[in-house]
Amino acid sequence: MSHTIKLKKGFDINLAGKAENKISNAPKPETFAIKPTDFPAITRPKLLVEEGDAVKAGSPLIYDKMAPDVLYCSPVSGEVAEIKRGEKRKLLELRILADKENEFEDFGSHSKSDLKSLDADKAKETMLKSGVWPNIIQRPYGIVANPEDSPKAIFISAFDTHPLAPDYNFIYKEEEEAFAAGLEVIKKFTEGKVHINISEDKEMLKMFSQAEGVQINKFSGKHPSGNVGVQIHHIDPINKGDIAWTVKPYGVIQIGKLFLSGRYDASKKVALTGSEVSEPQYYQTYVGASIKNIIKDNISGDHVRYISGNPLTGERIDADGYLGYYDEQITVVPEGDFEELLGWIKPTTSKLSIHRAIGLLSFLNKKKEYVLNTNTNGEERAFVLTGEFEKVLPMDILPNYLFKAIMAEDYDEMEALGIFELIEEDVALCEFIDVSKHELQAILRKGINLMING
């Protein structure tokens, strides 16, 4: 039985620079990178290669000493060009100098009919050694799933409501066969339901809305209605002791391609977005690609910030930085490292705010596309109890009190206030509207790490 959930809380950030539905093939980047920092679960990364080693697409590069069965593999074939470390020799990046043509490790192909009878343990073994397992994320905590666990359910959000998010209906319209194959494999890992959550506000691809052997749930409302954590909260909430898994559509497709072709296929379509992009559009590339060739001759501003991911949760990178493992979007916005005379006191139609007293003029034209920079317009200060967080977080959680419990390292309060249901993306809107200027996503991750290690 499916559910239809209409969410009244939330806030849409309508930014200029949405990608046009066309795909370009930028020159293949010279280098690619796997970044352990993309995976919160990795606490003690161990190298399996050295500089100068030759690798294929699907060759293992690193693993976590605490979870040695999960391998993180090269997205392309080439040579290990550089192992970049930071303070205390922390492993930051493992860079691959790519071949012109990819060579692949062979993990054994299967026909569509074979997948129905494929043993779950055999499927899991193939996924672990091929590099696709990190697509499976565990709730609570938002970390790479432990293959020893059996989740109560698996959730897939088939739409993204983040600012300037890629259109899944466009980038996945030719991936029906791979998605169906990946779904067939994923269903083997739980005795519970596999949920595909779609948008009620727009027509969805049939591979999502008519998928077989799963429960289809419809969601409507503003952002964060597309967040899988919000969806889980309204379908089957995470309580203490529960484990659920989530997978993005890209992950399902990559798993399907692995079993159909026997290859670790790290190709993906990425949206180049933002007000500082001359021609926002999609590019065909690979996981971990350098963005240098993608942004070349397509940036209009001269003082900008490059973000791997969306403006709310993405990671700041350099102009020659690398696409994050889970990201399908590159955002370019104006840098905001300046002070503004009168700031929010000055009446204007160019600023967006949820607070009507500040951004009243922005409510007069709800279709307006805004050009926002990275300026926080103030410094961190004591928490102000405004009650605004509850307006943008459509969950039965009191965010302000949870953040205070985290800062006080009160484990019982963190648990009682719902930390098991949240990861960074779920509180990103709270951070955006926070008049106290706290880094709420970082605070939440601190609390999650306390719960994991405590």
Side-chain angles (χ1 to χ4, degrees), residues 412-450:
D412 291 337
E413 279 294 291
M414 284 189 275
E415 179 183 321
L417 290 166
I419 195 169
F420 293 137
E421 296 204 64
L422 298 171
I423 64 170
E424 289 91 332
E425 69 178 16
D426 300 316
V427 301
L429 266 181
C430 297
E431 183 173 297
F432 177 75
I433 68 168
D434 182 22
V435 296
S436 303
K437 315 299 179 183
H438 284 84
E439 295 184 359
L440 301 181
Q441 295 178 70
I443 292 174
L444 178 61
R445 179 50 61 178
K446 174 189 173 184
I448 289 172
N449 289 338
L450 287 171

Side-chain angles (χ1 to χ4, degrees), residues 101-403:
E101 297 293 333
N102 265 345
E103 294 184 26
F104 296 87
E105 299 281 4
D106 184 5
F107 298 101
S109 61
H110 300 73
S111 67
K112 288 187 286 186
S113 58
D114 288 342
L115 293 180
K116 292 186 180 296
S117 58
L118 182 64
D119 179 71
D121 290 335
K122 182 63 177 177
K124 190 175 293 187
E125 179 186 346
T126 302
M127 291 173 61
L128 287 168
K129 67 182 182 181
S130 65
V132 302
W133 186 266
N135 285 297
I136 302 180
I137 302 299
Q138 172 196 302
R139 293 294 187 107
Y141 307 141
I143 59 178
V144 175
N146 182 346
E148 301 291 325
D149 291 334
S150 179
K152 69 171 184 175
I154 298 175
F155 297 84
I156 302 163
S157 178
F159 67 108
D160 190 343
T161 53
H162 283 95
L164 303 175
D167 181 355
Y168 287 179
N169 284 347
F170 176 69
I171 62 177
Y172 298 136
K173 62 183 179 181
E174 298 176 355
E175 306 287 6
E176 183 175 357
E177 183 180 32
F179 184 82
L183 206 56
E184 190 66 44
V185 174
I186 287 171
K187 287 189 289 187
K188 300 177 185 296
F189 301 143
T190 180
E191 295 182 358
K193 296 178 180 179
V194 174
H195 298 265
I196 296 183
N197 305 321
I198 64 175
S199 173
E200 191 184 37
D201 300 328
K202 62 180 180 180
E203 187 175 350
M204 303 292 296
L205 292 173
K206 289 183 179 179
M207 66 187 237
F208 298 138
S209 62
Q210 298 180 20
E212 297 180 357
V214 301
Q215 177 168 311
I216 308 295
N217 306 296
K218 296 181 179 180
F219 283 81
S220 70
K222 301 176 182 179
H223 181 66
S225 62
N227 283 11
V228 70
V230 171
Q231 296 164 1
I232 293 172
H233 177 83
H234 289 274
I235 299 169
D236 189 4
I238 304 293
N239 298 308
K240 185 176 181 179
D242 287 344
I243 290 177
W245 288 355
T246 71
V247 194
K248 287 187 173 184
Y250 175 81
V252 179
I253 291 166
Q254 193 180 53
I255 292 167
K257 288 180 177 179
L258 169 68
F259 286 93
L260 292 176
S261 69
R263 294 176 170 183
Y264 173 50
D265 185 348
S267 62
K268 62 166 49 178
K269 297 178 180 71
V270 175
L272 178 61
T273 66
S275 60
E276 305 310 286
V277 179
S278 302
E279 296 183 28
Q281 58 189 293
Y282 293 87
Y283 287 86
Q284 184 72 50
T285 187
Y286 295 85
V287 168
S290 167
I291 70 168
K292 185 177 179 180
N293 289 344
I294 295 175
I295 64 173
K296 186 179 180 181
D297 301 325
N298 200 8
I299 305 302
S300 57
D302 57 1
H303 189 46
V304 300
R305 179 174 296 188
Y306 299 97
I307 301 169
S308 177
N310 66 73
L312 287 179
T313 66
E315 177 191 12
R316 180 179 183 175
I317 58 175
D318 296 328
D320 58 352
Y322 296 91
L323 183 70
Y325 181 89
Y326 297 104
D327 296 330
E328 298 167 274
Q329 178 180 354
I330 301 164
T331 309
V332 188
V333 295
E335 191 60 82
D337 53 353
F338 59 87
E339 293 185 5
E340 184 178 359
L341 183 65
L342 299 180
W344 284 97
I345 300 176
K346 182 172 58 179
T348 178
T349 60
S350 64
K351 291 184 176 179
L352 175 67
S353 174
I354 193 173
H355 308 288
R356 286 182 178 269
I358 298 173
L360 178 60
L361 296 178
S362 69
F363 285 87
L364 301 179
N365 184 2
K366 294 186 177 181
K367 295 184 179 180
K368 176 180 174 64
E369 293 184 342
Y370 291 86
V371 177
L372 302 184
N373 58 46
T374 61
N375 199 327
T376 59
N377 297 291
E379 298 178 349
E380 184 177 313
R381 61 206 70 168
F383 261 119
V384 179
L385 294 174
T386 62
E388 297 296 321
F389 291 169
E390 287 78 6
K391 295 179 181 179
V392 298
L393 182 61
M395 302 169 78
D396 295 327
I397 286 173
L398 300 174
N400 239 318
Y401 294 98
L402 174 59
F403 296 134

